[in-house]
Amino acid sequence: MILEMKVPSPGESITEVEIAEWLVEDGDYVEKDQAIAEVDSDKATLELPAEASGTITLKAEEGDAVAVGQVVCLIDTAAKAPEASTYEGGDEGGNADAEQDLAKDQKAASNKENHEKAPNPAKETYASGVASPAAKKILAEKNMDASSITGTGKDGRVTKDDAVKATPSMGTPTGGNRGSSRSKMSMLRRKVAERLVEAKNTTAMLTTFNEVDMSPIFALRKEYKETFKSKHGVSLGFMSFFTLAVVRALKLYPAVNSMIDGKEMLTYDFVDVSIAVSGPKGLMVPVIRNAENLSFRGVEAEVKRLALRARDGKITVDEMTGGTFTISNGGVFGSMLSTPIINPPQSGILGMHNIVERPVAIDGHVEIRPIMYVALSYDHRIIDGKESVGFLVAVKEALENPTELLMDNDIKRALEL
C-alpha cells in the first residue's frame, strides 16, 4: 500500500511551509513516527514525523515552499525492513574489498595522469615582472606596480599590452581569501525580516532610556540564589525581577499594554510577556502567559522551559503567539545600549543590557555601582511621552527597591522559601 504523506497544518493562519532539510534519503526505510524532515513556517521550525513504516519516496526538494495539505512524500507500507549486514568475509565481503581496491587504483592512476599533464611552472629570470619602458609609463599613470602583474612577454616581461589591460585594484591586495557564499534565507528568517520592516514602516516608534542600579538585586541573589535553586530546581535570575517589574508598571500605565486594532485601541487586563530568545534557527519570541499571576519561581521555571524548547527546536506556534508586551535581553551578548524594535502588533518592548560597574553619585559621594541601561521602544500613536517615561521610571523603581515593591517586604514568602 502506498501512503501519501501530506503537510499537516502547523497552526492557525499558516498556509505553507518550506522544506528546510530532509533527514532521510530517497529510498530509505523509515519507521513510524521517525523524524523525516524539518519544515520551516513563518513562525517556527518543526519536525515532520513519518506516519507509517516503509520505504520512502521524496516528492519535494529542500528549499521548496509547499502548501498545507500538499503531498511531500510517499511511503510504501508493504516494504519490509532491511536486515542488518554483519559480513566479516566471504564472497560479498571479498567483493566489497575488491571494489575498494579498484577504486584506490583508479584514483592513483588518475592522480598520476594529472601530474604528468600538469604544465611546468614558468621559469623565473631576471626579466620576470620587469616592465618595458612603454609599460612603465602606463603603469605609472595608473599608479600600479609591475610586480602586481603577470607578464606575458619573453621570460615573463610585462609588455605594453599587459599594462593597458591591467586594472587597478580597489585597495591594497593582501593575498587573503576574498571569496563569498550565498545561501537562501529560511522562511522563519524572511518572516522576521518582514515584521521588522513592518514595525519600522507602520509605527511611530520612539525610544526612551534610563539606568538601573542593580545593587539591591545583586544582594538578594547573592543571599538567596543557592537556597532558591536547591528548593525549586531553577536559578534566581534577572528575568523574574524584570518580568514582575514590567507587570507592575503595566498595571500603572495600561496604555503600554495596548495595541491598535483598526480605529480602536485594544487594552488588555492580563499580561502575556514575550521574551526574545536566540534559537538554532534564529530569533524566537515565546510567550509567558498571565505573568501577573506568577511568582518568582513561576517566572523562572517558565523562562527555563521555553528557552529549552526554543534551543531544541521544539517550540510550537501557539507558544509564540499572542504576547502583549516584549522583553529583550541583549545584555547576554554584551550589548551596552540599543533601541529594540517593537514586536507588532504590540506597542512596547523593553530592552535589557549588560551590567557594568560605573561611578555614580550617591548622597553627594561617588561610588562604584553595577549599572544597567534599559530602553523602552514604544508606539507613539497610542503611548504618549508622559506614559512611556512614567512606565520606564516605574520599572526602574521596582528594580532598585524590589523588597518593597515586588516582594511586599517579605522576601522569603515571595521566593517561596
Side-chain angles (χ1 to χ4, degrees):
M1 177 182 173
I2 303 298
L3 172 68
E4 293 184 338
M5 266 200 61
K6 300 178 181 179
V7 178
S9 175
E12 188 178 346
S13 80
I14 296 178
T15 59
E16 69 173 12
V17 298
E18 184 177 282
I19 304 297
E21 180 183 4
W22 282 109
L23 305 179
V24 295
E25 300 288 341
D26 194 39
D28 282 357
Y29 185 87
V30 298
E31 299 288 348
K32 183 179 180 181
D33 296 328
Q34 174 186 343
I36 60 174
E38 288 185 351
V39 296
D40 283 341
S41 72
D42 58 10
K43 294 182 179 178
T45 298
L46 307 169
E47 287 186 345
L48 185 66
E51 296 178 4
S53 300
T55 302
I56 193 167
T57 302
L58 307 184
K59 290 295 185 181
E61 301 289 336
E62 290 184 358
D64 285 355
V66 292
V68 170
Q70 180 178 332
V71 176
V72 289
C73 65
L74 305 176
I75 298 179
D76 183 0
T77 59
K80 295 183 179 180
E83 296 181 1
S85 299
T86 56
Y87 293 108
E88 296 290 337
D91 292 340
E92 295 191 23
N95 289 340
D97 292 339
E99 290 177 2
Q100 292 178 1
D101 292 341
L102 178 59
K104 290 179 181 178
D105 292 342
Q106 290 174 341
K107 184 176 181 181
S110 175
N111 291 339
K112 182 178 179 182
E113 183 179 355
N114 291 337
H115 179 73
E116 291 174 351
K117 290 181 179 180
N120 292 326
K123 185 178 180 180
E124 292 286 334
T125 70
Y126 71 93
S128 300
V130 176
S132 67
K136 282 183 180 179
K137 183 179 180 181
I138 296 172
L139 293 175
E141 293 174 352
K142 294 184 176 183
N143 196 24
M144 295 181 64
D145 194 326
S147 62
S148 65
I149 302 171
T150 302
T152 60
K154 185 178 180 181
D155 294 328
R157 185 182 294 274
V158 178
T159 66
K160 178 181 178 181
D161 189 50
D162 294 332
V164 170
K165 294 179 179 179
T167 304
S169 64
M170 299 300 291
T172 304
T174 61
N177 181 19
R178 293 178 56 79
S180 61
S181 61
R182 185 183 297 270
S183 59
K184 185 177 180 181
M185 291 195 301
S186 68
M187 182 177 288
L188 177 61
R189 173 55 63 184
R190 296 199 302 270
K191 188 62 177 179
V192 168
E194 291 173 7
R195 287 173 65 83
L196 293 178
V197 173
E198 176 191 355
K200 293 288 286 185
N201 292 340
T202 62
T203 64
M205 193 177 78
L206 291 179
T207 305
T208 184
F209 305 94
N210 216 316
E211 62 180 14
V212 177
D213 181 354
M214 299 292 287
S215 299
I217 294 177
F218 270 41
L220 285 170
R221 293 181 71 243
K222 182 178 180 180
E223 183 174 355
Y224 295 103
K225 66 179 182 180
E226 295 300 330
T227 306
F228 186 89
K229 186 173 183 179
S230 63
K231 181 165 184 179
H232 302 305
V234 290
S235 299
L236 180 60
F238 296 112
M239 278 302 298
S240 54
F241 287 94
F242 272 82
T243 300
L244 296 180
V246 162
V247 168
R248 173 180 176 272
L250 289 176
K251 289 180 180 178
L252 295 174
Y253 298 93
V256 185
N257 198 38
S258 305
M259 57 187 66
I260 292 178
D261 184 13
K263 296 183 179 180
E264 297 178 334
M265 175 176 166
L266 181 61
T267 302
Y268 297 96
D269 56 6
F270 58 89
V271 179
D272 283 355
V273 177
S274 304
I275 53 172
V277 298
S278 180
K281 298 293 184 178
L283 182 69
M284 296 184 178
V285 193
V287 181
I288 300 175
R289 308 288 181 189
N290 289 104
E292 75 278 6
N293 296 332
L294 296 180
S295 62
F296 283 84
R297 177 187 63 82
V299 172
E300 293 294 350
E302 188 66 359
V303 168
K304 180 179 179 180
R305 184 186 74 84
L306 293 171
L308 289 175
R309 287 179 63 78
R311 183 197 67 186
D312 297 339
K314 296 180 179 179
I315 202 80
T316 66
V317 174
D318 290 340
E319 288 173 314
M320 295 194 294
T321 304
T324 63
F325 186 87
T326 296
I327 299 177
S328 175
N329 186 6
V332 297
F333 304 110
S335 171
M336 182 188 77
L337 191 61
S338 67
T339 55
I341 297 180
I342 295 171
N343 179 23
Q346 297 173 17
S347 299
I349 178 171
L350 179 70
M352 301 166 56
H353 301 91
N354 62 356
I355 303 169
V356 177
E357 289 190 338
R358 294 187 172 92
V360 293
I362 305 294
D363 296 329
H365 301 281
V366 176
E367 296 185 15
I368 303 299
R369 296 289 183 92
I371 300 297
M372 175 191 283
Y373 294 140
V374 289
L376 173 71
S377 291
Y378 61 97
D379 190 345
H380 205 356
R381 293 178 299 170
I382 59 173
I383 302 172
D384 295 330
K386 179 182 178 181
E387 292 171 318
S388 64
V389 173
F391 172 89
L392 197 55
V393 169
V395 170
K396 171 185 170 69
E397 290 172 344
L399 296 175
E400 292 184 340
N401 189 9
T403 301
E404 178 183 347
L405 300 181
L406 299 180
M407 298 177 169
D408 198 22
N409 290 314
D410 192 341
I411 298 174
K412 291 188 177 181
R413 182 173 178 271
L415 299 180
E416 302 175 58
L417 300 178

